[in-house]
Amino acid sequence: MECKLTYLYPDLLNLYGDRGNVAAAMRTAGQMGVDLTVSRVDDLDAPIDFSGSDLLLLSPGELSTFPLIIERLQRDRDALEAYIEAGGYILALGSSACIFADEVRRIFRPSYKGLGIGRYDCAEREAAYGDDLIFTCTPAGVERKVAGSQIQMIDLLPKEGCEVFGHLLYGYGNNHTDGEGTRYKNLITTNTLGPLFVKNPWFFADILRDILVRKGAEAPELPDFPLETDSLAAVEAFNLSKKSEL
């Protein structure tokens, strides 16, 4: 019952307190009796152990930092694509979706190419948008309801052939559509901040169970999350009672 989370470039991708996802992941894994090892990769020149990783996590960052990370990951593109094709999980949160985009369109600075894996574009917004975010999704075989917040520096623009990850109940989602985030195999992008694993521990628990089953282990029981479940219900009731301006 072992799992390895590789946390990529937290010093560069450091917005919105999303480092809390790592602490929440370790707590949830502990509740499930799983030995979760977290490996930080801080230096762009440091090697990435794709074959030994079960989940790669990328937090939100400034748009100006992504070309450095894209250039770095291009050097390991074969290993990265092999990891994705083998079903390895990647979570790119908030603006870090830019890393896997076809193109990142900027307003006052030059646009640039992403890794081109996700089949979507990202477009910088003239003004950031912030609000609560509630949607349904299926991170690992079971439909879940997820709540968080969205601070939208970019519009996520899925293209033909891009699978939308979630279906919006409240919030902005992908550029005022009813979709939220994208998915290619187990490469998942989502606008959800909060942090995601703190407010929705079942999200990480589902992924962890799926990882263990893929490794031949028996899926551990899903813990009860009474405080988070009550919080989700309260947030949903409050937001759906408001008159939406979207």
Side-chain angles (χ1 to χ4, degrees):
M1 297 270 283
E2 297 178 349
C3 181
K4 180 179 177 182
L5 185 157
T6 299
Y7 190 23
L8 292 179
Y9 313 121
D11 288 338
L12 289 173
L13 306 178
N14 57 11
L15 298 182
Y16 313 130
D18 260 43
R19 295 186 185 202
N21 279 311
V22 175
M26 294 187 69
R27 181 177 185 274
T28 299
Q31 289 177 285
M32 298 169 68
V34 177
D35 182 11
L36 178 65
T37 301
V38 177
S39 176
R40 285 177 53 130
V41 179
D42 294 297
D43 191 332
L44 286 172
D45 292 325
I48 301 171
D49 182 13
F50 291 102
S51 62
S53 298
D54 299 301
L55 169 64
L56 305 180
L57 178 65
L58 299 103
S59 294
E62 298 287 355
L63 300 186
S64 59
T65 67
F66 295 132
L68 296 172
I69 296 173
I70 293 166
E71 180 183 7
R72 167 63 185 89
L73 293 178
Q74 283 284 17
R75 302 205 302 264
D76 279 343
R77 189 178 184 94
D78 289 346
L80 173 62
E81 290 187 334
Y83 174 84
I84 293 171
E85 294 302 315
Y89 276 92
I90 300 177
L91 283 177
L93 306 180
S95 58
S96 65
C98 292
I99 295 168
F100 300 94
D102 291 347
E103 182 182 20
V104 180
R105 307 174 196 165
R106 302 222 49 191
I107 298 174
F108 300 112
R109 297 186 180 183
S111 300
Y112 53 84
K113 298 292 185 181
L115 291 172
I117 297 175
R119 299 185 176 95
Y120 57 84
D121 289 338
C122 293
E124 183 180 11
R125 290 176 50 81
E126 292 186 5
Y129 173 88
D131 202 347
D132 289 324
L133 180 64
I134 307 172
F135 61 98
T136 60
C137 63
T138 308
V142 179
E143 184 173 90
R144 296 293 185 189
K145 192 174 290 183
V146 170
S149 61
Q150 180 173 2
I151 302 175
Q152 191 79 350
M153 296 193 299
I154 59 166
D155 285 331
L156 196 56
L157 307 172
K159 296 181 175 181
E160 183 177 356
C162 177
E163 180 182 352
V164 172
F165 176 56
H167 298 283
L168 202 66
L169 299 176
Y170 179 89
Y172 189 89
N174 297 342
N175 192 29
H176 277 312
T177 69
D178 64 356
E180 153 54 31
T182 66
R183 182 168 200 160
Y184 173 68
K185 296 188 180 293
N186 286 331
L187 165 59
I188 297 170
T189 74
T190 173
N191 297 294
T192 314
L193 312 173
L196 172 63
F197 295 165
V198 174
K199 301 189 73 171
N200 308 276
W202 44 84
F203 186 102
F204 177 73
D206 282 349
I207 290 175
L208 186 56
R209 283 161 55 92
D210 187 50
I211 289 170
L212 292 170
V213 169
R214 288 167 179 263
K215 296 172 76 169
E218 183 177 350
E221 291 294 322
L222 191 71
D224 291 326
F225 301 110
L227 292 177
E228 293 84 357
T229 300
D230 289 347
S231 174
L232 172 60
V235 168
E236 182 180 17
F238 171 72
N239 279 294
L240 297 185
S241 71
K242 296 191 297 185
K243 180 179 179 180
S244 176
E245 297 179 357
L246 302 180

